[in-house]
């Protein structure tokens, strides 16, 4: 995710156990809410073209039919849980070359998943069933659909002690967790793809070879919405706030390495050394802004800064691909006793207040901050390598840069995305090997 510097488990019944049982009758009914800002963009020509050229328009049509046939909340929940997970698997399979492509859009594309998910959430949000559906039940359906279609309930590792044959002989299988993001800044260019989301689809469930043997990668994708990260109730997400901690907490004690990934600067990768506890206000995909300290549980013990434990020096030194990789140590702070924000190229000073981490003060910085804070609060700072990787900005080819006249894809656009994904894979492999001392 482009931070633009300072400006800018198992899913199913257990997931929904905390929600109230379905109720019936007119008293439980509600008027279906209007589509969100994100969902309203679906009616534009570009999203419809992406859905059509990938075959994902058929998936959303099938979902609408199945949801419309539901005659109770329990039936609707089964449809949502099943089809949300199926959408994630379909997107992963398409990117990884399994099954039909569904159209002429290149397989590496992350955008069909994004727009298909919004098509499905809009169906749930505006659905007016023939039975009573409470506000809480609708939010629970949206929550289940979001989590299932983002892979957040599909993270599964083999049992401990698993060994696998690789190029370096039989080795214990390492466990790696990688996260990506949805496309964003869609009002500036609705054609936008996010290479971090494409990476998540490409790596999910794969085994990569590292200097310390094979590593199993599991992934998930996160929304570009402030409220989902904060907790509470979001118009888009329902009751599912605190999404980063809820998704990562069950796995951090099981894995060997994690990295959050987002789109950053033009022409370069950055390994972000430091993350800051500040939201800088850049609008999210709902066109909402937040300028405040990153809201977390137990704010009394909240640090202003967290740091990467990825082996950044080894990653920067390795030949991982065509884009240069930098160890980014810069932050923006208000020094202790001061009032004005200043840039510190070598990291924060003692007692300072965060205004931007190395990755800025948008949601890319925030996911890195939250993930590394969770690592530290679980007592894993010294044992679990983890941090944030910023990819290059995914650019269209020359002559296709005007959103008003350009096309949704071109050969250079595809090449750039494929190369970025391949380099993230190489960075992860390098990190796993270096973290083990190999």
């Amino acid at each position: 995710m482009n931070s633009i510097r300072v400006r800018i488990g198992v899913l199913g019944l257990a997931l929904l156990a905390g929600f109230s049982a379905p109720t019936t009758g007119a008293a439980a009914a509600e008027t279906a809410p209007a589509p969100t800002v994100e969902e309203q963009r679906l009616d534009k020509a570009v999203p419809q073209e992406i859905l059509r050229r990938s075959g994902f328009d058929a998936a959303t049509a099938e979902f609408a039919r199945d949801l419309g046939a539901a005659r109770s909340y329990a039936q609707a929940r089964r449809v949502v849980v099943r089809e949300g997970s199926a959408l994630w698997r379909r997107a992963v399979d398409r990117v990884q070359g399994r099954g039909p492509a569904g159209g002429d859009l290149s397989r590496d594309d992350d955008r069909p998943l994004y727009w298909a998910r919004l098509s499905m959430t809009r169906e749930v949000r505006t659905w007016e069933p023939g039975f009573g559906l409470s506000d809480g039940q609708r939010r629970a359906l949206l929550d289940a659909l979001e989590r299932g279609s983002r892979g957040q309930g599909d993270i599964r590792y083999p049992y401990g002690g698993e060994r696998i044959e690789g190029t370096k002989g039989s080795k214990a299988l390492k466990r790696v967790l990688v996260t990506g993001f949805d496309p964003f800044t869609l009002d500036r260019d609705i054609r936008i793809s996010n290479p971090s989301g494409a990476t998540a689809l490409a790596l999910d469930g794969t085994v990569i070879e590292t200097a310390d043997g094979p590593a199993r990668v599991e992934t998930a994708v996160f929304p570009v919405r402030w409220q989902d990260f904060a907790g509470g109730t979001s118009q888009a997400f329902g009751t599912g706030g605190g999404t980063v901690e809820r998704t990562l907490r069950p796995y951090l004690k099981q894995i060997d390495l994690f990295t959050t990934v987002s789109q950053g600067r033009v022409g370069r990768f950055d390994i972000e050394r430091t993350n800051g506890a500040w939201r800088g206000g850049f609008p999210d995909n709902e066109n909402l802004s937040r300028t405040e300290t990153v809201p977390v549980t137990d704010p009394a013990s909240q640090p202003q800064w967290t740091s990467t434990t990825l082996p950044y020096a080894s990653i920067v030194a390795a030949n991982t691909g065509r884009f240069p990789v930098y160890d980014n140590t810069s932050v923006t702070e208000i020094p202790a006793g001061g009032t004005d924000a200043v840039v510190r190229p070598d990291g924060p000073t003692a007692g300072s207040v965060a205004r931007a981490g190395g990755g800025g003060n948008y949601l890319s910085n925030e996911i890195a901050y939250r993930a590394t804070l969770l690592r530290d609060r679980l007592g894993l700072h010294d044992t679990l390598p983890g941090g944030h990787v910023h990819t290059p900005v995914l650019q269209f080819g020359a002559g296709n840069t005007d959103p008003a006249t350009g096309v949704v894809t071109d050969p250079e656009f595809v090449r750039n995305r494929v190369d970025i994904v391949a380099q993230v894979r190489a960075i992860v492999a390098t990190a796993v090997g270096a973290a083990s001392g190999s």
Side-chain angles (χ1 to χ4, degrees):
M1 177 182 308
N2 188 350
S3 44
I4 319 180
R5 306 303 298 156
V6 179
R7 288 182 50 223
I8 308 260
V10 175
L11 179 66
L13 297 180
L15 172 67
L16 301 172
F19 297 108
S20 58
T23 56
T24 58
E30 61 159 13
T31 301
T36 67
V37 169
E38 276 191 287
E39 291 163 354
Q40 289 172 28
R41 296 187 184 105
L42 274 164
D43 296 324
K44 297 181 180 293
V46 166
Q48 293 303 312
E49 179 180 350
I50 289 169
L51 289 170
R52 184 178 65 255
R53 293 178 62 182
S54 62
F56 275 57
D57 54 346
T60 57
E62 293 166 7
F63 173 75
R65 288 195 296 271
D66 290 348
L67 183 65
R71 294 296 175 260
S72 68
Y73 173 75
Q75 290 181 4
R77 185 176 67 185
R78 286 193 290 272
V79 170
V80 165
V81 169
R82 182 187 71 234
E83 296 305 316
S85 180
L87 181 64
W88 172 256
R89 297 314 318 165
R90 177 172 179 163
V92 168
D93 287 346
R94 185 178 192 274
V95 169
Q96 295 185 15
R98 292 185 291 271
D104 67 343
L105 203 64
S106 64
R107 281 187 175 265
D108 57 285
D109 206 313
D110 60 303
R111 296 172 296 176
L113 172 62
Y114 175 71
W115 292 112
R117 182 191 304 114
L118 287 175
S119 297
M120 293 166 73
T121 59
R122 185 166 71 173
E123 287 293 335
V124 173
R125 195 179 315 281
T126 60
W127 180 43
E128 295 185 352
F131 58 88
L133 184 72
S134 72
D135 179 72
Q137 289 168 341
R138 192 186 299 271
R139 289 198 306 268
L141 294 177
L142 288 166
D143 181 57
L145 180 54
E146 283 277 350
R147 283 179 59 77
S149 63
R150 294 182 177 282
Q152 294 174 4
D154 193 48
I155 299 171
R156 297 181 180 88
Y157 294 100
Y159 291 110
E162 191 99 2
R163 299 183 71 84
I164 190 169
E165 290 295 328
T167 59
K168 299 183 184 300
S170 178
K171 286 266 193 173
L173 187 65
K174 300 288 187 181
R175 301 177 179 191
V176 176
L177 183 58
V178 174
T179 70
F181 272 107
D182 289 345
F184 69 113
T185 62
L186 293 153
D187 291 334
R188 185 171 65 191
D189 188 345
I190 200 166
R191 304 173 300 161
I192 279 173
S193 161
N194 194 322
S196 70
T199 296
L201 294 173
L203 296 189
D204 187 57
T206 64
V207 175
I208 60 176
E209 189 67 33
T210 81
D212 194 41
R216 168 68 174 265
V217 182
E218 291 289 318
T219 71
V221 171
F222 287 89
V224 184
R225 296 190 297 252
W226 292 111
Q227 186 60 54
D228 298 67
F229 279 51
T233 300
S234 165
Q235 180 194 12
F237 194 49
T239 58
T243 183
V244 175
E245 292 84 354
R246 181 168 66 156
T247 301
L248 301 187
R249 183 178 287 109
Y251 305 104
L252 289 193
K253 290 187 176 181
Q254 303 177 24
I255 62 177
D256 298 287
L257 182 142
F258 73 87
T259 185
T260 53
V261 184
S262 64
Q263 182 176 238
R265 300 166 181 82
V266 173
R268 61 184 278 179
F269 277 87
D270 287 283
I271 311 302
E272 305 297 355
R273 187 82 74 88
T274 307
N275 318 298
W278 185 251
R279 296 173 148 193
F282 189 74
D284 65 8
N285 276 349
E286 291 182 307
N287 289 338
L288 298 177
S289 299
R290 294 289 185 271
T291 305
E292 59 189 354
T293 299
V294 171
V296 298
T297 58
D298 192 14
S301 67
Q302 178 179 9
Q304 286 295 302
W305 309 99
T306 64
S307 61
T308 189
T309 50
L310 291 173
Y312 51 85
S314 297
I315 296 171
V316 170
N319 180 16
T320 54
R322 70 179 173 101
F323 296 99
V325 183
Y326 293 90
D327 169 22
N328 184 28
T329 60
S330 180
V331 301
T332 302
E333 67 175 18
I334 298 176
T339 57
D340 297 327
V342 297
V343 176
R344 299 290 192 194
D346 298 321
T349 57
S352 64
V353 176
R355 283 299 177 265
N361 52 26
Y362 196 34
L363 285 161
S364 53
N365 168 77
E366 183 160 333
I367 196 171
Y369 178 84
R370 288 180 177 277
T372 50
L373 178 62
L374 179 61
R375 173 203 64 197
D376 296 349
R377 285 181 165 180
L378 291 173
L380 301 172
H381 182 277
D382 296 331
T383 58
L384 178 60
H388 191 77
V389 174
H390 256 130
T391 76
V393 172
L394 180 57
Q395 295 180 299
F396 287 97
N400 189 28
T401 57
D402 186 347
T405 60
V407 295
V408 301
T409 189
D410 62 58
E412 186 174 345
F413 182 68
V414 172
R415 173 179 175 256
N416 287 336
R417 186 168 52 212
V418 168
D419 286 354
I420 290 169
V421 170
Q423 194 160 350
V424 175
R425 182 186 287 109
I427 286 171
V428 171
T430 299
V432 172
S436 67
S438 298

